[in-house]
Amino acid sequence: MATRRDASSSPSQPDLLGGSLTADSAIHRLFFALLPDEVVRQRFARAADILRSEQPIRARWVVPARYHATLHFLGDFPLWRPDVAEAAIAAAGKVGPCSFDWTLDYLAGFRGRQPPCVLRSTETPAELVMLWKDLRHALVLAGAGNHVAVGSFTPHITLGYSHGTVPDIAQIEPILWRVEGYALIHSIVGQREYRVLGEWGKSGR
């Protein structure tokens, strides 16, 4: 059984300016993600430091506590959606355990109005792709298929959002990440903290 937090309520939470965002004023974001442990998180932070020091990039940098690799983005909602959260939790309960090594070895950029600066890997583990496929299939069966994006999977870690074009970025010293599970995340857009609704590890917990 997965480790699970309360997914049925949405209390008021402080915003970055010291006020509060209620369920009526907040944008609720739901997604499945891989979450690094503290050691790997600090390695990602050092990669971001290298990017800042070696490339002339003006960017809005992600705080290390928010580093993650998105598996499935389920949507932004003006009101808390317990139905979507419950369907996602049910879907994850149908997916087997996961445990694999993922080596991230270069920095790159995506296109966009504020192009993300990201960590990527030369080789994507087959287990990661299978997890993404299995979870997508389970979400469809759980009735959440309309919340699953259509398209290919490009696994990455976002380090920041550039205010201009991201230069070509070379290889870095490889960062080995031993992935031991994934989580369902609820966040309030504009706030720093993530709320973990459930975690599924290598033993299926």
Side-chain angles (χ1 to χ4, degrees):
M1 181 179 294
T3 301
R4 181 174 170 183
R5 315 289 173 85
D6 178 16
S8 61
S9 62
S10 182
S12 296
Q13 303 181 38
D15 67 18
L16 296 180
L17 299 179
S20 65
L21 291 174
T22 67
D24 291 332
S25 62
I27 299 298
H28 298 266
R29 177 168 292 169
L30 279 170
F31 58 97
F32 280 106
L34 308 178
L35 301 178
D37 61 27
E38 184 60 28
V39 172
V40 173
R41 186 179 296 114
Q42 291 306 313
R43 291 172 182 166
F44 293 162
R46 286 197 291 271
D49 289 341
I50 292 172
L51 180 58
R52 284 194 291 266
S53 64
E54 295 186 356
Q55 298 289 340
I57 297 175
R58 293 188 306 109
R60 176 169 55 90
W61 299 101
V62 175
V63 296
R66 294 177 67 89
Y67 289 153
H68 67 274
T70 300
L71 282 170
H72 286 286
F73 177 75
L74 302 179
D76 287 340
F77 307 98
L79 296 174
W80 172 237
R81 293 288 303 273
D83 58 324
V84 179
E86 292 293 343
I89 289 169
K94 301 296 184 181
V95 177
C98 67
S99 181
F100 55 88
D101 290 332
W102 184 16
T103 300
L104 296 113
D105 55 6
Y106 73 97
L107 291 157
F110 288 148
R111 296 179 180 177
R113 186 171 58 86
Q114 293 186 16
C117 307
V118 302
L119 271 172
R120 295 188 62 184
S121 55
T122 302
E123 296 185 5
T124 300
E127 298 92 337
L128 175 53
V129 176
M130 185 59 65
L131 173 61
W132 175 77
K133 289 181 177 179
D134 288 347
L135 190 53
R136 180 178 62 177
H137 181 65
L139 285 164
V140 171
L141 292 181
N146 59 323
H147 297 290
V148 179
V150 177
S152 59
F153 179 42
T154 306
H156 63 276
I157 309 294
T158 300
L159 301 178
Y161 296 90
S162 173
H163 297 307
T165 302
V166 179
D168 291 336
I169 300 169
Q171 303 285 322
I172 62 167
E173 182 177 350
I175 299 172
L176 175 62
W177 180 2
R178 180 64 182 176
V179 177
E180 300 283 7
Y182 61 98
L184 176 63
I185 305 298
H186 168 217
S187 71
I188 302 292
V189 175
Q191 294 189 9
R192 286 180 177 269
E193 299 301 321
Y194 287 148
R195 183 172 170 229
V196 179
L197 302 184
E199 295 175 280
W200 295 263
K202 62 180 180 179
S203 60
R205 296 194 302 274

